């Protein structure tokens, strides 16, 4: 997927998802194309912006002043978070696929990955807000919209009855939260370890 197509897809899934999901469902693709042509590119936005926001701009705190993450720890968080984040996408895609029969849907890993990757678009784009750490909380709004995209995309891609999408979505969200918490702990531990090895606490 070239940059023009990537932008067009991101715009389509965010602004007119009900029209975009059927197009996505009909496309023939593979895991490599989904990652290299879309997910890996957009996932760079929060990774790079978060790094700049925390290491260059920093967070202003009363009395203490501006707090910045040391470069070493910031780079570790960027790389580890980026790689694990893409891994979580694949893991959740596998979970979506495995759960399909439970909600009277059809198992199809590629369709499940399409669903998870494209519904993550708002969160990745909102990652630009990480340039100003205090605005990072606004990504919650993007995450909620991403859940909506997932919800309306489920019956289109996984072929489950629409009335079962709420339960399907809820279970996916639980899995997402657990995976995200694990990743956060791992990033914190590894990045903290890298920082301590350099004598920076």
């Amino acid at each position: 997927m070239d940059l023009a197509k990537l932008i067009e897809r991101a715009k389509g899934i965010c602004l007119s998802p009900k029209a975009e999901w059927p197009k996505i469902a009909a496309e023939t693709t593979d895991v490599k194309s989904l990652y290299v042509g879309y997910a890996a590119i957009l996932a760079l936005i929060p990774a790079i912006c978060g790094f700049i926001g925390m290491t260059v701009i920093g967070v202003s705190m009363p009395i203490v002043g501006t707090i910045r993450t040391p470069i070493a720890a910031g780079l570790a968080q960027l790389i580890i978070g980026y790689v694990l984040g893409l891994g979580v996408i694949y893991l959740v895609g596998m979970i979506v696929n495995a759960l399909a029969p439970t909600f009277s849907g059809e198992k199809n890993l590629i369709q499940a990955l399409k669903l998870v990757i494209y519904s993550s678009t708002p969160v990745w784009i909102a990652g630009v807000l990480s340039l100003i750490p205090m605005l990072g909380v606004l990504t919650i709004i993007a995450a909620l919209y991403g859940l909506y995209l997932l919800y309306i995309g489920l019956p289109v891609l996984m072929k489950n009855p629409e009335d079962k999408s709420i339960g399907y979505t809820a279970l996916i969200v639980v899995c997402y939260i657990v995976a995200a918490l694990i990743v956060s702990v791992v990033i914190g531990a590894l990045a903290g370890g890298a920082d301590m090895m350099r004598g920076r606490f």
Side-chain angles (χ1 to χ4, degrees):
M1 182 179 290
D2 59 32
L3 188 57
K5 288 183 178 179
L6 184 152
I7 293 172
E8 189 64 26
R9 170 52 48 80
K11 185 171 72 172
I13 197 63
C14 289
L15 301 181
S16 53
K18 290 184 178 179
E20 199 70 16
W21 278 129
K23 297 178 187 177
I24 291 171
E27 291 174 355
T28 300
T29 188
D30 55 28
V31 176
K32 180 180 178 181
S33 297
L34 287 170
Y35 268 81
V36 176
Y38 196 86
I41 297 172
L42 286 183
L44 283 171
I45 297 174
I48 294 174
C49 290
F51 171 76
I52 294 173
M54 292 304 294
T55 62
V56 179
I57 298 173
V59 180
S60 295
M61 301 289 288
I63 302 175
V64 180
T66 301
I67 299 175
R68 296 183 179 85
T69 300
I71 298 294
L75 281 174
Q77 289 173 352
L78 186 159
I79 296 168
I80 297 167
Y82 176 72
V83 173
L84 291 183
L86 291 176
V88 166
I89 291 292
Y90 191 84
L91 175 62
V92 175
M94 291 177 64
I95 292 171
V96 170
N97 187 49
L99 290 174
T102 303
F103 295 92
S104 304
E106 298 177 7
K107 292 183 70 172
N108 185 315
L109 181 58
I110 295 299
Q111 294 291 65
L113 284 172
K114 286 181 188 177
L115 181 71
V116 177
I117 287 172
Y118 291 127
S119 63
S120 298
T121 302
V123 177
W124 286 328
I125 293 174
V128 73
L129 295 173
S130 298
L131 282 170
I132 303 175
M134 297 299 288
L135 295 180
V137 69
L138 294 179
T139 57
I140 294 174
I141 297 173
L144 291 175
Y145 187 61
L147 291 180
Y148 168 72
L149 295 181
L150 182 72
Y151 169 75
I152 63 172
L154 276 169
V156 181
L157 277 79
M158 304 311 294
K159 309 299 183 185
N160 61 277
E162 289 189 18
D163 61 347
K164 294 192 176 184
S165 288
I166 293 179
Y168 201 169
T169 302
L171 198 50
I172 293 169
V173 170
V174 171
C175 295
Y176 237 133
I177 291 172
V178 172
L181 287 174
I182 293 172
V183 168
S184 295
V185 171
V186 172
I187 292 173
L190 294 178
D195 198 31
M196 289 176 66
M197 288 179 67
R198 289 163 177 75
R200 299 173 183 175
F201 299 85

